[in-house]
Amino acid sequence: QLTARQRDLENQIARITEEKSLQDKSLEDARVRLAKAESQRDEALTRANDLKESVSELRQENRDIRDHFEHYQQRTAEDRQQEREQFRSVNQGLNDQIQDLQHRLAQAESRASELFDANVQLQRHADELKRANGALNSDVKGKIEDVQNLKHELEEAVAKCREYQHQNDHLAQNMAVLTTQKADVDKQVAVLSQTLETTKTELKTTQDKAALLIDENKVILQEKAVIQGQFKQLQSSL
């Protein structure tokens, strides 16, 4: 009977040891995922900072182009006195377009700042940071493409300043595209907000599970110590 009891205790110790090993592996996997999520969060912060720098550069280019328009306006007034009124009318329209673009650039900068704040909040939600960062990366890429498109359009405006009417139509079409893109970005921001709320809930659940695993691990260690003590007593009695 003592030998059978000894075998049962050995089987229990082996089973408890195996369960503890599985729990330790699960906890280590959770730590690895957390480290990976923090690395991806840092990359997203870097991309957001790069976007803000790109917006600042575009604002400077926009100011340079406006100065060029003013210089061209003066030269055209000297060369073509008879077209001055038409030139002023078209130039005013272009200035309105530029001011509107500046306003949209300010909105893009504001959205970039909001995304930066969202990234700070995402630090609290490590397990779901990869999915949130994926959405953020997509949004940042879209904004970079918007900036590149705006830069290309402004360069064309400088090169073709003699074709004011055609350029005005072209800018109007681009404004419609930018309006559509703004609506898409607003939708993406709404999705990010919803993702943040989901992340908070899932992070709390994960923390509760981790605490439960730690408590269970302590209980298992205590049971193992008790079983080992019983096993030593049986060996002594044998």
Side-chain angles (χ1 to χ4, degrees), residues 1-187:
Q1 289 178 355
L2 289 176
T3 301
R5 177 58 176 168
Q6 179 180 353
R7 285 197 300 269
D8 291 339
L9 291 174
E10 289 175 349
N11 291 335
Q12 291 179 6
I13 291 173
R15 183 172 63 257
I16 292 172
T17 301
E18 182 179 359
E19 291 176 354
K20 180 180 179 298
S21 176
L22 292 176
Q23 291 175 351
D24 291 341
K25 184 176 182 300
S26 176
L27 186 60
E28 183 63 25
D29 291 341
R31 291 194 185 100
V32 171
R33 289 195 299 271
L34 177 60
K36 186 181 296 183
E38 290 176 347
S39 176
Q40 293 172 347
R41 178 204 63 208
D42 294 338
E43 292 178 0
L45 290 175
T46 301
R47 291 192 183 97
N49 290 331
D50 292 340
L51 177 61
K52 293 181 68 175
E53 293 177 359
S54 298
V55 170
S56 297
E57 293 176 358
L58 184 58
R59 289 171 64 89
Q60 182 61 40
E61 292 180 3
N62 193 18
R63 286 193 293 269
D64 294 339
I65 290 172
R66 187 171 183 178
D67 293 339
H68 176 78
F69 279 160
E70 293 175 355
H71 175 72
Y72 185 81
Q73 180 181 5
Q74 181 179 0
R75 186 182 62 184
T76 303
E78 295 173 355
D79 295 341
R80 298 184 179 182
Q81 185 67 28
Q82 66 276 12
E83 297 178 359
R84 177 174 296 177
E85 293 301 326
Q86 181 181 0
F87 173 81
R88 288 179 178 176
S89 177
V90 175
N91 188 63
Q92 182 62 39
L94 289 175
N95 286 333
D96 292 340
Q97 296 286 345
I98 291 173
Q99 290 177 358
D100 184 68
L101 289 175
Q102 288 176 336
H103 178 67
R104 292 184 181 277
L105 287 175
Q107 288 180 340
E109 187 176 12
S110 177
R111 289 197 299 271
S113 178
E114 291 175 358
L115 290 175
F116 180 81
D117 294 338
N119 283 332
V120 174
Q121 293 179 359
L122 285 175
Q123 292 179 356
R124 303 174 185 175
H125 317 294
D127 290 334
E128 293 297 329
L129 185 60
K130 182 176 180 179
R131 184 174 65 184
N133 283 338
L136 181 61
N137 290 336
S138 177
D139 186 60
V140 170
K141 289 179 180 178
K143 288 181 176 58
I144 291 175
E145 291 178 357
D146 293 341
V147 171
Q148 292 175 347
N149 290 335
L150 288 173
K151 183 178 179 181
H152 179 68
E153 291 168 6
L154 292 174
E155 290 175 352
E156 288 183 352
V158 174
K160 300 180 179 180
C161 58
R162 294 180 181 273
E163 301 175 2
Y164 287 107
Q165 187 61 42
H166 175 72
Q167 184 67 25
N168 188 31
D169 295 338
H170 183 65
L171 287 175
Q173 294 175 359
N174 288 336
M175 285 180 61
V177 173
L178 288 174
T179 301
T180 302
Q181 290 177 346
K182 178 181 178 298
D184 293 338
V185 170
D186 291 339
K187 291 179 181 179

